[in-house]
Amino acid sequence: QFSGTLKPARSNFCANPISRESEMPRELVNKRRVLIIGGQFSGTFCARELKKHFHVTVVDAKEFFEYTPGILRAYVKPAHFDALSFTLQPVIERKMGVKFIWGEVMKLDGEQKTATVKPMFSSTMDTLSFDYCIICAGCNFGPFEKNGESLWFPVVHEQNRPLSKWSHIDERFIEGRRRHILEEYHKIDQLNKKKATVLIVGAGFIGVEWATELEHFFPDIKVTLIDALPNCLGPLPESAKEYCFEYMHACNIKQYYGVKYDKGSAEFWNKIDLPNGPDETYVCIGVKASNYFMPAEVLSDKGPGGGGWIHFNQFLQVTLKPTTAEIGETWCDGSIFAVGDCNNGCIGDPLKGTLPFIPKISYPGEEQALHACINLERLDAQRHGRHGCMACCPRPRGLKPTWWPWGAGMFATSLGPHDACFVMAANENKGSGYMVNWWIFAALQKEIIETTKIDECKDRPIGKLIWHFVHHTPCNLWGRGPWIP
């Protein structure tokens, strides 16, 4: 039988940089503090990049990492979720050696350089001070839902959970997310047993992948796919559109294009040969912002899902809303950056502006994360001098502008587990790019990308070795970036 008094263990100062500075050696106190909001692709990338020269703290509203591009497979094969996810705290704190806080950022104060955070299992708020901040908060995928919820991303924000269709499940926990996946799987299994009809609205990447996953794993479900555009996969080249169309046609997936979804119209249902409606409908269209913690003056009034995206400049610093010029005034002396899915995606006009619209996918988010980390280091060197052996070198004169990354034009579209197509060199113009890989070879390529990317996010050597050189290429052979990045 145990007797005595339990004393709290003293935290390692490297794992708790923001709150225990009084216990640190003097040389470590001089390190500036970086707050990273979001612990997924871009967030873990920034933590790895900055941990050597800064005290880094990562805050995420859920306890786990999830490989979003592969989550559709988990709903038809639940065991696959284990390969797509892992708990963040052991990786971020034990392997990377930076601080992780499981909680939701409720408010970001640029003037005071503080973040109000509600930690999990706490009814009170914590205030974190920082010198620099990188926002990697991502977005939601349900533009027609008030809370932006969809199957493809867990409902983790406190204000959205009571409104959720699955509010009985807490998806901030990895087991809650797994339970939701299992519930949806059993629902689909019942649809398969009664040979039900399923309507998928939207023939973009998610819609096409979801239709082909359902067809492969639940062959008795009758799948119908519609889109308002004249073809599936609107932005991709004709060769990729035709390849995916023919695959779905061969699998008896009914496809209707140039048709707008109107669930209240009998004419619409007759047009797609579902006069009595479907047994289940999945809407796979668009994105919705979830930057609830940001002040209104830095958020867009327009944009996908009704706006709410973070304005930024060519250095990825958060700005105020533009008035007459393309770029607004820098917010919080330029110390706060926004990368990936949370930002506005473009500077100026989406097609002809300073920075054309960048797809909200993981690769360009990580590329922007690298650019933001470079500029954060440069900004810190301008203010405080360089780090380590570079301390004797002159301070950098300016920041490096970002660009439309060539990786933003790469798209791997799954067609079930044994087929896919891979497009590269696409840009903001519809129909651009080339389909360079297809059939089972593209499916294998996508599996390799998934496996090695998750390995990198787990801070393991093989994944880091592969993807470090993808993002830290010493020179650009093509694309819009400088020759020497």
Side-chain angles (χ1 to χ4, degrees):
Q1 182 179 0
F2 175 81
S3 62
T5 304
L6 287 175
K7 295 182 179 180
R10 175 167 173 168
S11 298
N12 182 291
F13 58 79
C14 291
N16 197 355
I18 287 184
S19 62
R20 303 185 69 89
E21 287 190 356
S22 60
E23 301 179 11
M24 299 180 190
R26 181 182 300 175
E27 63 271 17
L28 293 181
V29 173
N30 292 333
K31 280 188 175 183
R32 264 67 64 190
R33 303 157 299 174
V34 176
L35 175 65
I36 298 174
I37 303 175
Q40 304 302 297
F41 292 102
S42 300
T44 54
F45 183 97
C46 292
R48 282 193 302 273
E49 287 290 309
L50 298 174
K51 66 179 182 179
K52 183 177 180 180
H53 296 145
F54 299 90
H55 291 307
V56 176
T57 297
V58 179
V59 180
D60 200 294
K62 57 185 184 299
E63 67 167 336
F64 60 96
F65 172 92
E66 179 177 288
Y67 185 81
T68 305
I71 198 62
L72 282 75
R73 179 71 49 82
Y75 281 103
V76 294
K77 185 183 177 183
H80 191 58
F81 180 67
D82 290 335
L84 300 175
S85 60
F86 59 85
T87 306
L88 285 169
Q89 189 270 340
V91 172
I92 291 178
E93 290 204 341
R94 297 178 193 170
K95 289 189 175 181
M96 293 187 188
V98 304
K99 176 65 179 176
F100 172 67
I101 296 176
W102 178 13
E104 182 179 349
V105 176
M106 309 302 290
K107 179 184 177 182
L108 195 67
D109 189 328
E111 184 177 346
Q112 299 296 324
K113 290 189 180 180
T114 60
T116 303
V117 179
K118 185 176 182 182
M120 196 67 173
F121 310 116
S122 175
S123 58
T124 60
M125 302 289 182
D126 286 350
T127 300
L128 303 182
S129 299
F130 58 84
D131 298 296
Y132 304 99
C133 176
I134 302 182
I135 305 169
C136 312
C139 66
N140 288 328
F141 295 92
F144 302 117
E145 298 290 341
K146 185 177 180 180
N147 61 354
E149 74 177 11
S150 69
L151 294 176
W152 327 126
F153 193 81
V155 179
V156 297
H157 298 99
E158 187 171 272
Q159 70 180 62
N160 290 339
R161 293 190 61 251
L163 306 174
S164 175
K165 296 174 183 176
W166 40 88
S167 58
H168 61 290
I169 297 173
D170 193 342
E171 292 189 285
R172 295 174 296 180
F173 294 83
I174 192 170
E175 288 306 316
R177 182 61 165 160
R178 181 178 283 109
R179 180 181 169 189
H180 183 201
I181 289 170
L182 286 170
E183 284 191 5
E184 192 67 28
Y185 169 79
H186 289 300
K187 174 183 169 182
I188 298 169
D189 187 49
Q190 291 301 314
L191 292 172
N192 187 63
K193 288 177 179 177
K194 72 175 190 176
K195 299 184 178 180
T197 56
V198 167
L199 173 64
I200 297 175
V201 181
F205 301 106
I206 294 177
V208 169
E209 290 197 2
W210 186 231
T212 53
E213 293 288 341
L214 288 175
E215 184 280 329
H216 179 87
F217 288 94
F218 296 97
D220 288 334
I221 291 179
K222 302 176 183 67
V223 179
T224 298
L225 178 67
I226 69 166
D227 200 288
L229 296 176
N231 305 98
C232 63
L233 301 169
L236 296 192
E238 291 300 322
S239 55
K241 296 178 187 178
E242 184 178 349
Y243 185 85
C244 294
F245 174 86
E246 290 180 353
Y247 177 92
M248 291 188 288
H249 179 72
C251 294
N252 296 317
I253 296 173
K254 294 182 179 180
Q255 302 171 73
Y256 297 88
Y257 298 109
V259 178
K260 187 176 181 180
Y261 179 56
D262 185 3
K263 64 180 180 180
S265 169
E267 181 183 356
F268 163 74
W269 294 115
N270 289 326
K271 191 172 185 178
I272 62 173
D273 295 327
L274 291 174
N276 299 319
D279 295 292
E280 186 64 37
T281 300
Y282 294 97
V283 178
C284 304
I285 300 175
V287 291
K288 192 178 184 71
S290 56
N291 301 306
Y292 311 117
F293 56 91
M294 295 297 286
E297 61 262 27
V298 303
L299 300 179
S300 67
D301 296 322
K302 300 178 181 179
W309 307 96
I310 301 173
H311 286 291
F312 66 106
N313 62 19
Q314 67 270 38
F315 308 117
L316 294 166
Q317 296 165 305
V318 176
T319 69
L320 300 174
K321 289 179 185 177
T323 51
T324 56
E326 279 191 336
I327 303 173
E329 183 181 342
T330 303
W331 185 61
C332 181
D333 71 16
S335 297
I336 300 178
F337 300 79
V339 303
D341 293 353
C342 66
N343 68 31
N344 199 36
C346 62
I347 299 175
D349 185 88
L351 291 177
K352 300 178 181 179
T354 301
L355 182 69
F357 188 81
I358 297 175
K360 294 189 178 295
I361 53 179
S362 60
Y363 184 95
E366 290 180 291
E367 199 75 3
Q368 285 189 344
L370 175 62
H371 298 172
C373 289
I374 291 172
N375 282 331
L376 189 154
E377 295 243 23
R378 286 190 169 205
L379 188 64
D380 187 68
Q382 290 174 5
R383 295 173 177 176
H384 305 284
R386 293 183 182 270
H387 300 279
C389 62
M390 300 293 291
C392 60
C393 298
R395 299 186 181 191
R397 294 184 178 179
L399 305 183
K400 181 170 288 189
T402 188
W403 59 85
W404 207 94
W406 64 270
M410 297 192 301
F411 301 96
T413 307
S414 292
L415 301 170
H418 306 307
D419 208 332
C421 70
F422 180 73
V423 170
M424 66 181 304
N427 54 43
E428 70 275 10
N429 299 308
K430 291 184 178 181
S432 59
Y434 306 92
M435 186 173 72
V436 297
N437 195 9
W438 56 90
W439 193 42
I440 196 169
F441 303 109
L444 290 171
Q445 179 188 16
K446 190 166 185 182
E447 290 289 333
I448 292 170
I449 291 172
E450 177 182 296
T451 302
T452 56
K453 175 51 66 175
I454 295 171
D455 196 70
E456 181 209 23
C457 292
K458 287 183 175 180
D459 208 46
R460 291 177 173 173
I462 295 177
K464 289 197 296 183
L465 181 66
I466 293 171
W467 288 97
H468 176 86
F469 290 103
V470 170
H471 292 292
H472 296 79
T473 177
C475 61
N476 287 320
L477 301 180
W478 61 80
R480 303 179 184 179
W483 166 245
I484 304 295

